[in-house]
Amino acid sequence: MSETTLTPTRYDAVPYIGGTFQESHPEHLAALARLFGMPAPDPANARILEIGCAHGSNLLGIAQAYPQATILGIDASEVQIEQGKETVKKLGYKNLELRFQSVTDLDEGPWDYILCHGVYSWVPPEVQQAIMDVIAKQLSPNGVAYISYNVLPGWYGRLHVRDMMLFHAALFESSEDQIGQARAILGMLTRAVGEEEGGGAYGEATRSLQKSLGTQYDSYLFHEYLSPYNEPIYFKEFARRVDEVGLQYMGDGEFSSMLVSNFPPAIAEEVAVVAQDLIRTEQYMDYLRNRGFRKSLICHKEPALDRSLTWKDLQNLRVRALYKPDTDADPWELNDESMGAWIRNEVPLKVAAPLVKAMLHTLEQIRPACMGLEELVLASQALLEQEPTEHDTEECATNLLACFAKDLIQIRIHPVPWATQIAEKPEAWVHARGQAADGLVVTSLMHTSVRLDEFDRVLLPLLDGTRDLHALALEASENMSPEQFSIQWTGPDLGGSPMLIELLKPGIQKQLERILRLGLLMPH
């Protein structure tokens, strides 16, 4: 290992507050690859590498989901690696190794899945090339690599702010002072253009950026805006670099972003006319969206990919609902032509066909579980009490693909690794229980970050698999006031009062249902 790459880094001075990145999960990568006709390796026993893993937070849920997998995370920050090793030891994962190592010194493939989130844009050119070389030489024949990076044109609107922060922060030595002064100079810029209004489009963009950065951790600002390296590039340039090392762009981690059909029809038609291939199409879409960040999936040039999706591509995959009922919609019934309505992130899902309504209702009712296509069709037919027809599977699968195109469902290979029902004595993932004691954000088994409320922070650490509902209510009554549970209580005693315990049980049951749907409970 070379001295240059393993000297103390900026991440030792200011460790990055990492998280999980759902689109980088091998389950997601494998499902997308198979949807495109490539037989990606089974993640359950795959070899998985993360380049620039920080303290390994993105790998913990993967290690939990795949105990038979071999997982390695490398990073050039010794401080972060040592922090991560302590967590891995505490969780007892034997399938996960975190190593203080540079990507330039890595040569122990093949790897079925290579993950590289938040690294590529923030390292010098020679390290960027090393990342590409490792993927080209060490990715298994049907493996998938994931790389995230900053892109143009979206970053044009931020580069001047980064330049201004760097110019001003250079006057100060400590990282703490540099972060504080970077925030201060952005505040000065915002006041100059008008804190509430004014300054035209420039003023509006500046206020939006200040609002966004105001909610970010100091470590994000330090490594994103004050890093000596931050090279946003056009997607077309990234695709050229991928091709140059003998690889190909497979698709985007956010599948919906690949589809020109998500633009208004007139715009979609224009793009189809001017774009001659996949790369040009996606570059045009980046221009139209002013996109600033990408999560690209890449693979070898063989076997050939088939992105012309049909309903048959879902036959060996599982699906999970991400939507919920639209409570503002008009009432509807399953067995007639009334309009069924669901929603996710303000994206509406409205369907009149009874079979499709039954399918969507079935998926929503089993959340957070998933179902295979054949099982889902049979359950939907049974719900309607109707005779099956030869076109039912095609009708359901075609509508599921339309939902996937709008990011309304998840596609999976395996059953979910989290609980789908509340056990008599529920157990939360031990990592999330520990996080709940330390802060407001925990990691779920769904590979997402979950912000806790006050009730969650008391309840989650108690979910160790030894307490039933009564025991949970008893302990909660001793650790929280009635006001925190939003109930009226005038009894003489608080903690342990039988009447208070009974009053708490419905609220705790409701909270457990929420925790279940967030993917925080272990399966039994």
Side-chain angles (χ1 to χ4, degrees):
M1 299 181 187
S2 68
E3 271 183 43
T4 305
T5 55
L6 293 181
T7 52
T9 72
R10 294 167 57 83
Y11 291 89
D12 291 321
V14 182
Y16 195 79
I17 297 180
T20 54
F21 313 105
Q22 197 169 30
E23 292 85 0
S24 74
H25 199 294
E27 183 76 22
H28 178 66
L29 306 184
L32 277 177
R34 294 187 184 188
L35 201 62
F36 293 154
M38 188 176 82
D42 185 346
N45 50 27
R47 286 174 52 81
I48 300 165
L49 167 70
E50 182 166 25
I51 298 168
C53 68
H55 36 62
S57 57
N58 192 47
L59 294 174
L60 298 176
I62 298 172
Q64 173 67 37
Y66 306 135
Q68 301 306 313
T70 300
I71 307 170
L72 171 65
I74 64 169
D75 200 281
S77 166
E78 188 171 18
V79 169
Q80 293 186 124
I81 287 294
E82 291 304 316
Q83 290 173 345
K85 283 181 175 180
E86 286 298 314
T87 303
V88 172
K89 182 179 179 181
K90 190 182 302 182
L91 295 174
Y93 293 147
K94 304 300 183 185
N95 58 339
L96 170 59
E97 178 189 357
L98 301 183
R99 189 187 298 167
F100 174 44
Q101 183 175 353
S102 168
V103 66
T104 59
D105 302 316
L106 183 69
D107 186 18
E108 50 191 277
W111 301 98
D112 298 312
Y113 297 94
I114 299 178
L115 321 178
C116 186
H117 184 90
V119 178
Y120 188 80
S121 292
W122 302 269
V123 292
E126 61 271 19
V127 180
Q128 291 181 341
Q129 187 61 49
I131 291 169
M132 288 293 185
D133 289 342
V134 163
I135 295 171
K137 296 173 184 176
Q138 300 186 37
L139 187 67
S140 65
N142 291 323
V144 182
Y146 162 103
I147 300 182
S148 69
Y149 51 102
N150 286 338
V151 291
L152 302 169
W155 251 86
Y156 276 130
R158 306 172 207 174
L159 284 174
H160 71 288
V161 174
R162 169 175 148 79
D163 289 344
M164 182 179 67
M165 287 181 174
L166 285 169
F167 175 72
H168 181 63
L171 298 172
F172 303 88
E173 291 188 8
S174 74
S175 54
E176 183 178 356
D177 285 344
Q178 289 176 353
I179 292 167
Q181 289 299 318
R183 292 193 184 279
I185 203 70
L186 178 59
M188 184 178 78
L189 175 61
T190 306
R191 291 189 298 275
V193 299
E195 293 185 83
E196 301 296 331
E197 58 182 16
Y202 180 53
E204 185 176 340
T206 300
R207 287 187 291 273
S208 176
L209 184 58
Q210 188 202 38
K211 182 178 179 181
S212 172
L213 290 179
T215 63
Q216 293 285 357
Y217 294 113
D218 283 350
S219 64
Y220 171 83
L221 188 146
F222 185 68
H223 296 299
E224 184 82 355
Y225 283 84
L226 297 178
S227 169
Y229 298 101
N230 185 342
E231 184 208 14
I233 58 175
Y234 279 108
F235 167 67
K236 60 181 181 179
E237 169 61 17
F238 179 81
R240 185 195 65 77
R241 295 180 187 182
V242 168
D243 179 73
E244 203 171 57
V245 294
L247 299 167
Q248 68 170 321
Y249 169 72
M250 187 178 88
D252 197 274
E254 297 176 4
F255 175 75
S256 60
S257 73
M258 297 178 63
L259 304 177
V260 71
S261 59
N262 284 328
F263 284 97
I267 300 298
E269 289 179 15
E270 290 186 65
V271 173
V273 170
V274 298
Q276 301 164 345
D277 54 37
L278 174 68
I279 303 303
R280 290 184 67 85
T281 297
E282 295 216 24
Q283 183 59 72
Y284 277 116
M285 290 194 291
D286 279 9
Y287 285 128
L288 296 175
R289 293 186 176 115
N290 195 34
R291 193 168 183 176
F293 191 69
R294 269 189 168 266
K295 305 164 188 175
S296 291
L297 314 186
I298 59 181
C299 61
H300 291 292
K301 291 187 175 181
E302 296 292 339
L305 301 175
D306 182 4
R307 300 182 186 85
S308 57
L309 306 186
T310 72
W311 68 270
K312 293 182 180 180
D313 294 314
L314 285 180
Q315 286 182 312
N316 296 314
L317 297 170
R318 292 176 167 86
V319 292
R320 180 171 74 89
L322 301 177
Y323 53 82
K324 59 183 180 181
D326 185 350
T327 54
D328 294 328
D330 295 333
W332 54 274
E333 300 292 336
L334 281 175
N335 284 293
D336 60 21
E337 295 297 320
S338 58
M339 191 68 72
W342 297 266
I343 194 166
R344 185 194 184 215
N345 296 337
E346 300 184 359
V347 176
L349 173 55
K350 296 186 177 181
V351 176
L355 179 63
V356 182
K357 284 191 294 187
M359 175 190 71
L360 296 173
H361 175 75
T362 299
L363 271 184
E364 193 280 324
Q365 288 294 298
I366 65 166
R367 280 196 311 139
C370 62
M371 262 191 183
L373 179 61
E374 184 178 350
E375 181 187 10
L376 179 57
V377 173
L378 290 173
S380 304
Q381 291 165 338
L383 189 61
L384 292 176
E385 298 181 346
Q386 70 176 35
E387 289 296 317
T389 75
E390 61 178 324
H391 300 297
D392 285 354
T393 300
E394 180 177 355
E395 181 181 5
C396 287
T398 300
N399 279 274
L400 285 171
L401 280 176
C403 289
F404 188 50
K406 297 288 187 181
D407 202 24
L408 294 166
I409 62 170
Q410 180 192 49
I411 292 179
R412 301 182 54 85
I413 294 175
H414 297 103
V416 298
W418 51 81
T420 58
Q421 294 181 325
I422 300 171
E424 180 183 356
K425 295 180 179 180
E427 178 186 1
W429 184 24
V430 61
H431 181 51
R433 295 205 311 267
Q435 288 176 308
D438 297 331
L440 293 174
V441 179
V442 302
T443 302
S444 80
L445 293 164
M446 292 178 178
H447 218 57
T448 59
S449 295
V450 175
R451 182 165 290 277
L452 304 180
D453 60 26
E454 194 170 12
F455 200 165
D456 291 326
R457 289 200 65 194
V458 172
L459 185 59
L460 204 61
L462 301 177
L463 302 180
D464 59 2
T466 66
R467 299 175 176 86
D468 61 11
L469 183 61
H470 182 86
L472 291 170
L474 173 61
E475 292 224 24
S477 74
E478 295 173 342
N479 286 282
M480 293 182 74
S481 68
E483 292 78 15
Q484 290 173 300
F485 292 111
S486 300
I487 62 173
Q488 297 295 319
W489 175 251
T490 57
D493 300 311
L494 292 178
S497 165
M499 188 177 296
L500 178 57
I501 289 171
E502 291 306 311
L503 283 172
L504 291 179
K505 283 183 179 179
I508 290 177
Q509 183 64 34
K510 185 176 181 181
Q511 204 77 0
L512 286 173
E513 291 168 3
R514 174 179 178 273
I515 289 172
L516 172 77
R517 292 207 166 192
L518 289 171
L520 290 167
L521 296 183
M522 295 289 291
H524 285 271

